[in-house]
Amino acid sequence: MLALLLCFSLLLQLTFGSDFSSRSPFTTTQKRHFAMSPETLSKTCGALQDVIGTDAGNRGMKCLIVPGDLEKAAYAITSLEPKSTVVVLSGFPCCVTHDPPTETDGPPGTFAIARAMAALGHEVIVVTDTCNEAVFAAALENLALPSENCGSVVLQAYPPSLSEEEEKKFSKLANDCNLLVACERAGPSKDGVCYTMRAIDMNEKGLIAPLHRLVKESNAPFIGIGDGGNELGMGKVLDQIAANIPRGETIGCVVPADFLIAASVSNWGGYAFAAAAAATKANDQESLEAWLERCLPSEDEEIALLNRCVAVGCRDGVSGEVEATVDGMPLETSMQCLRDIRKAALDAGS
C-alpha cells in the first residue's frame, strides 16, 4: 500500500508539477476585454473577498485566502474571446449514505457562475458526477438567464469509470475548454482519494468521476472555489490546510488552482465571482448596476433554485437533512451574503 501511495504521489507531481506552480494560464500580452479601471476593479474584488472571507462557518478558512486571487480571476475572465467555452465543475457527494448524495453547497454557486458567464456571451458547460446529475438538472431547469445577447448553459455528467465513448466526449470537453472553474468540487488528496470534511472516502462509495483530469488535459486557466481545503484547486494552499484545517493532512486536495477563491461557503464564492465578472464590464455606476443585475441572481431566483434542488433530495452537507439550508446555516444567511456582495460591488465602484 505504501508503494502504491508513493507512486500516486509521484504521478501527481509529474502531472501538476513538483511545486504545483508550473502552469502558465495566460500572459500579460494577451488582449483584455474590460471597461472598469484596474484600480477600481482591484478595489471591488478586495471588497468582495472581505464579504465572503469572514469564516462564517467557523472552519478556519481564513488561512485559505490568497490575497489578490479574486482580482486575478477577474482578469482571467477579461482574457476570454467572445463566445468562449467555459467549463464549470461541481459536485461534492458528501451525504454518502443517501441517494442522491448531493449537498446544497455547490449547485447555487455553480449556476451563479454559469449565469454570469452566459450573460457575458460565453457558452457554459456545467460538469458533475452521475450521482449528482438529478440535483444539478433540477437547478438548471428554469434557470434565470438574461433575455438578450446571452450564451447557453448545458449540463454534462460522468460516472466514476468512463467508457470509450465517454472518454471521447471528455477529451472534446478538454479541447474545447477556454476557462475552467471549479466550485465546491471534490478534489483528490495526496493518496488520490476525495474525502469529506469528516475524512469519509467518497471514491470508495463509487461516487466520484475523474473530473480533476480536466485541470491538466484542458490546459485552460483554472479558477478554484472552496471553503474547507478538500475542494479542487486547494492544492495551492496545501501547507496551510495541513497546518490549520482539522484532518487537513488527510483531506487536503493536492491539485492547485491558478487562482483560488476561498469563501466561508463555496456558494458565496460563486456569487463573488459573478459580481467580479459584472464589474469587468462596467465603465460607470449606471452600467455597473445593469451588469450586476444581468450577472447576479436575485434572491427570489436563488430561493427557487435551491428549492428545486431540495425537491429532488439535495441535503444540507452539515445537518444531513433534506432542507433549504447551506452548511448548517439558514437560507437567510446566504441571502444576506448575496445582498452584501451586491452592495460591496456597488459601493466599491462608486
Side-chain angles (χ1 to χ4, degrees):
M1 177 59 75
L2 179 59
L4 181 61
L5 291 178
L6 289 173
C7 287
F8 184 81
S9 177
L10 178 60
L11 178 61
L12 285 172
Q13 291 187 22
L14 290 172
T15 302
F16 296 104
S18 59
D19 65 351
F20 303 121
S21 61
S22 61
R23 289 166 51 82
S24 179
F26 53 79
T27 68
T28 55
T29 59
Q30 283 182 279
K31 185 178 180 181
R32 309 290 192 195
H33 304 273
F34 69 101
M36 180 176 280
S37 73
E39 295 78 13
T40 305
L41 183 59
S42 179
K43 180 183 176 183
T44 300
C45 290
L48 294 173
Q49 182 62 68
D50 287 345
V51 171
I52 64 175
T54 60
D55 195 18
N58 295 313
R59 293 182 177 182
M61 59 69 55
K62 286 187 177 182
C63 70
L64 308 178
I65 296 172
V66 180
D69 262 19
L70 177 54
E71 180 184 354
K72 291 174 183 175
Y75 274 98
I77 297 170
T78 70
S79 297
L80 293 172
E81 295 298 328
K83 297 183 179 179
S84 288
T85 297
V86 179
V87 176
V88 187
L89 309 179
S90 190
F92 210 106
C94 61
C95 303
V96 297
T97 61
H98 300 282
D99 185 16
T102 319
E103 67 162 321
T104 51
D105 189 20
T110 294
F111 284 101
I113 294 166
R115 171 194 173 121
M117 293 296 93
L120 268 57
H122 302 303
E123 306 304 321
V124 184
I125 304 172
V126 174
V127 186
T128 191
D129 319 270
T130 51
C131 67
N132 299 312
E133 185 173 11
V135 171
F136 280 79
L140 178 57
E141 184 180 2
N142 298 319
L143 180 69
L145 293 172
S147 58
E148 296 181 354
N149 302 317
C150 185
S152 63
V153 180
V154 298
L155 176 66
Q156 292 185 13
Y158 291 87
S161 180
L162 307 189
S163 67
E164 184 177 345
E165 284 303 310
E166 287 162 340
E167 283 286 359
K168 291 179 181 178
K169 185 178 179 181
F170 195 82
S171 179
K172 184 179 187 305
L173 182 67
N175 290 334
D176 291 346
C177 180
N178 302 119
L179 177 66
L180 182 65
V181 186
C183 179
E184 190 65 10
R185 172 61 200 165
S189 66
K190 63 185 179 183
D191 62 6
V193 170
C194 293
Y195 289 106
T196 70
M197 292 299 292
R198 300 180 179 90
I200 297 171
D201 183 341
M202 292 179 284
N203 294 75
E204 183 182 44
K205 306 293 184 180
L207 302 173
I208 301 294
L211 304 186
H212 66 280
R213 285 172 40 191
L214 284 170
V215 177
K216 179 66 175 181
E217 294 178 22
S218 71
N219 200 36
F222 171 38
I223 299 166
I225 301 174
D227 57 24
N230 53 355
E231 300 89 1
L232 195 63
M234 283 289 176
K236 187 167 186 176
V237 290
L238 192 58
D239 290 344
Q240 292 294 331
I241 296 168
N244 297 284
I245 301 298
R247 307 180 188 90
E249 184 70 32
T250 298
I251 69 173
C253 173
V254 298
V255 181
D258 295 313
F259 314 115
L260 182 64
I261 302 171
S264 298
V265 176
S266 293
N267 287 341
W268 302 0
Y271 300 154
F273 179 92
T280 67
K281 302 297 289 185
N283 54 19
D284 56 33
Q285 191 69 5
E286 184 178 351
S287 68
L288 177 57
E289 291 179 7
W291 276 106
L292 286 169
E293 184 73 19
R294 184 174 173 86
C295 292
L296 271 179
S298 69
E299 291 179 46
D300 287 345
E301 289 164 350
E302 278 301 272
I303 292 169
L305 184 151
L306 189 56
N307 284 336
R308 293 197 300 273
C309 293
V310 171
V312 295
C314 194
R315 296 171 181 270
D316 186 305
V318 172
S319 72
E321 298 297 322
V322 181
E323 58 188 7
T325 58
V326 181
D327 282 354
M329 291 179 267
L331 180 56
E332 170 57 23
T333 304
S334 288
M335 294 303 96
Q336 183 61 53
C337 183
L338 184 57
R339 290 191 287 270
D340 290 344
I341 283 172
R342 195 181 301 271
K343 183 177 185 301
L346 287 171
D347 290 348
S350 63

